[in-house]
Amino acid sequence: MRRMPLKAPWWLMLALCLLLGAGGCARHAENEGEFRELIRQYDQRLAMAFDTYDLKPFGQSLTASHFNRLDHRMTGMKRAGQKMESRVLAIEFLEFKDLGDKQLGFPRFRVKTREVWNVRHIDARTGKVVKEVKGLVYELSYEFEQHDGVWQVDAVEVLGQKIPS
């Protein structure tokens, strides 16, 4: 007995493709919301850390390597007798990308943003403002790594910077 190939109507195939695509978009949207919140928290904690010379507010939200990079920068500012006050005015999320787990064996994710900041460098001894920039625009790349089900910031790279005139 000869078998006939199963042919589904075109509309059924289209509906199946749309349904599968929508499921993938929903998972991606969930990740986007989670990473948006992680970046907002990171920015707030970063501003607090550079004002107080204290990385404790980050808790377990950083990988050890990124913690060490921030600690090195903060130690340099402290030795130079400077503090930094900063505030995010706006964040635009440009790209969300799942990087898989090929590099180090841990799930990785990248988010690119455009952020507008107000920044003031202050002499820690006198309290006087040394430098102030309002409306500083950064294009940033955040890389996250997942450990024990928790996403941690592994790297933040400045892709571009525009100082207002």
Side-chain angles (χ1 to χ4, degrees), residues 25-41:
C25 290
R27 283 192 303 276
H28 190 66
E30 287 173 16
N31 282 349
E32 286 184 15
E34 179 180 5
F35 289 110
R36 287 172 194 263
E37 184 57 29
L38 288 171
I39 289 171
R40 286 185 181 101
Q41 290 173 3

Side-chain angles (χ1 to χ4, degrees), residues 3 7 14 16 20 23 38-39 41 49 53 61 94 99-100 112 117 119 122 125 128 137 144 148 151 154-155:
R3 290 186 140 185
K7 290 187 179 181
L14 179 62
L16 182 59
L20 291 172
L38 288 171
I39 289 171
Q41 290 173 3
Y53 302 125
S61 66
L94 305 174
L99 301 175
K112 292 183 181 178
W117 288 75
V119 179
I122 300 166
R125 291 179 280 287
K128 291 186 179 180
V137 179
F144 294 87
D148 298 324
W151 286 106
D154 185 50

Side-chain angles (χ1 to χ4, degrees), residues 4-22:
M4 301 218 27
L6 180 63
K7 290 187 179 181
W10 67 268
W11 55 267
L12 182 59
M13 295 301 285
L14 179 62
L16 182 59
C17 288
L18 290 174
L19 183 62
L20 291 172

Side-chain angles (χ1 to χ4, degrees), residues 108-161:
R108 296 183 62 81
F109 207 90
R110 177 185 304 130
V111 180
K112 292 183 181 178
T113 65
R114 182 175 297 115
E115 303 180 18
V116 181
W117 288 75
N118 283 350
V119 179
R120 291 171 19 141
H121 292 270
I122 300 166
D123 184 304
R125 291 179 280 287
T126 65
K128 291 186 179 180
V129 176
V130 175
K131 180 180 178 183
E132 183 170 18
V133 180
K134 292 185 178 186
L136 179 61
V137 179
Y138 284 111
E139 289 202 10
L140 301 168
S141 174
Y142 291 83
E143 288 205 13
F144 294 87
E145 199 169 87
Q146 192 177 52
H147 295 273
D148 298 324
V150 176
W151 286 106
Q152 297 176 317
V153 178
D154 185 50
V156 179
E157 179 184 354
V158 177
L159 303 174
Q161 160 180 326

